[in-house]
Amino acid sequence: MAEVRGGGDSGDVRPELEEDLSEVSDFLKAIGKQIKLLRERAGLTQKEFAKQVGYTESLIGAVEQGKRTPQRELLEASERILDAGGLLIVTSDDIESAKAKARVRHPEWFRGYAKLEAKARELHCVSLYSIPGLLQTEAHARAVFSMSHPLLSEEVIETRVAARMGRQEILTAWPRAVFGWVIDESVLRRPLGGWEVHEEQLRHLLRLGNCRGMVIQVMPLDRTESAGTGGPFILITPKGRPQMAYIEVQTSSRLITDQEEVRIMNARYSTLRAQAHTPQESLALIEKILGDR
């Protein structure tokens, strides 16, 4: 049984670690070296330079090492203070492009599961409190991250949204994996982000539920029995590897590889599918919720 700190679909409050800049690291290191060279040529220490540009010394150090992407404001201030002759300003657009690439990457605490998910041949999810991340619209994801507590910065929100949207590429990849979701009815009746956002989300579920290889089932509120009282979970079968399970709650998550535990969760999932509405009944219920508005 492996344990991973953090989470993905419901994990909105997590430690904010360094950006994952692996795909653009060489470029950012080159920019950092230019800033360091110009700073040293001007006879300034990192501390002195940081004070003049209005940033912390640790951030300047991270930028010079290529570990952080410099904001446009920092480039403009550096250009002026270091008399760079336009050398730093011309990199602004390239920096924005680099930030966009870094933005779609995942934080360290979720990277392991995300890599498994991207290679999944089967993925089955039980969701009792939220729309599964792979099924969320961009507006819904942004609303979810915006209501996190403690509050996330706008930059972090956009980073998380882009990462979540990037994960959804698996839904259109070919050959297509086998997908199944059991979603509690209460999730479909809670209009997170307002009705406009929620309506778009429900219609998105209808479109996905009509795609081959994607099965959406709803656990109705009037059921007197449920095998899901232990909480939400995901069963995932990566290419060339045994099936695993993934669970998360609050600020903790676990990637379960013990096959006996996985077998038990598989049995729970099978029971939940039998207790839930059929796929056709589930889509009809979503349409009814839309019509009742």
Side-chain angles (χ1 to χ4, degrees):
M1 178 179 65
E3 181 169 345
V4 183
R5 294 291 298 171
D9 288 352
S10 63
D12 303 328
V13 183
R14 297 291 189 270
E16 293 183 25
L17 304 179
E18 287 186 349
E19 299 168 280
D20 175 17
L21 305 176
S22 55
E23 294 189 0
V24 293
S25 60
D26 289 342
F27 169 67
L28 293 179
K29 284 178 181 177
I31 299 297
K33 286 180 179 178
Q34 289 180 356
I35 294 175
K36 181 180 180 180
L37 179 64
L38 290 167
R39 172 181 64 75
E40 291 177 341
R41 189 185 69 179
L44 297 173
T45 64
Q46 277 190 353
K47 185 175 182 179
E48 292 168 339
F49 179 57
K51 185 176 181 180
Q52 291 193 36
V53 294
Y55 287 82
T56 65
E57 183 179 355
S58 62
L59 185 139
I60 295 300
V63 167
E64 290 186 352
Q65 294 174 51
K67 294 181 179 179
R68 293 290 300 270
T69 52
Q71 300 290 329
R72 182 180 292 270
E73 292 81 1
L74 173 58
L75 291 172
E76 291 176 347
S78 301
E79 175 74 30
R80 183 181 67 257
I81 293 168
L82 301 178
D83 191 22
L87 180 64
L88 298 179
I89 291 299
V90 296
T91 65
S92 294
D93 291 339
D94 292 329
I95 289 289
E96 291 301 315
S97 176
K99 285 172 62 179
K101 288 181 180 179
R103 190 171 290 147
V104 302
R105 306 300 296 164
H106 299 287
E108 183 180 354
W109 41 257
F110 190 56
R111 213 167 293 155
Y113 171 78
K115 287 180 179 178
L116 293 173
E117 184 184 74
K119 299 176 181 178
R121 289 296 173 257
E122 288 189 38
L123 191 147
H124 305 286
C125 172
V126 175
S127 189
L128 306 178
Y129 312 121
S130 60
I131 301 292
L134 289 177
L135 303 182
Q136 291 181 11
T137 64
E138 183 173 337
H140 181 95
R142 184 170 290 106
V144 168
F145 287 126
S146 297
M147 62 184 72
S148 297
H149 291 279
L151 296 176
L152 302 175
S153 68
E154 290 300 318
E155 184 176 2
V156 171
I157 290 172
E158 292 308 310
T159 297
R160 302 283 173 86
V161 171
R164 184 159 293 181
M165 295 301 101
R167 284 171 54 204
Q168 296 180 6
E169 291 179 3
I170 188 178
L171 300 179
T172 56
W174 197 262
R176 177 172 290 166
V178 176
F179 296 99
W181 295 274
V182 176
I183 306 173
D184 195 79
E185 182 180 343
S186 62
V187 175
L188 304 177
R189 293 191 177 277
R190 186 174 297 114
L192 295 182
W195 177 252
E196 223 175 272
V197 170
H198 191 59
E199 179 182 19
E200 179 191 22
Q201 178 63 70
L202 293 181
R203 295 194 184 283
H204 184 59
L205 292 179
L206 287 176
R207 287 192 295 271
L208 292 175
N210 281 297
C211 293
R212 288 191 302 149
M214 299 191 192
V215 177
I216 295 176
Q217 291 182 254
V218 177
M219 173 61 77
L221 290 172
D222 61 4
R223 286 291 186 267
T224 58
E225 291 187 23
S226 171
T229 55
F233 60 89
I234 296 173
L235 292 167
I236 181 171
T237 308
K239 182 180 179 181
R241 300 182 65 176
Q243 189 176 57
M244 308 173 191
Y246 176 76
I247 59 177
E248 62 177 48
V249 59
Q250 294 295 333
T251 58
S252 298
S253 66
R254 287 172 56 205
L255 184 65
I256 301 169
T257 58
D258 181 87
Q259 288 304 291
E260 179 59 18
E261 285 196 68
V262 175
R263 183 194 66 77
I264 292 172
M265 298 182 78
N266 231 315
R268 287 179 188 154
Y269 181 72
S270 296
T271 303
L272 277 165
R273 289 200 63 187
Q275 293 170 335
H277 281 315
T278 67
Q280 293 75 22
E281 292 170 341
S282 299
L283 296 182
L285 177 58
I286 295 174
E287 289 179 337
K288 183 178 184 301
I289 295 173
L290 282 165
D292 287 346
R293 173 64 181 182

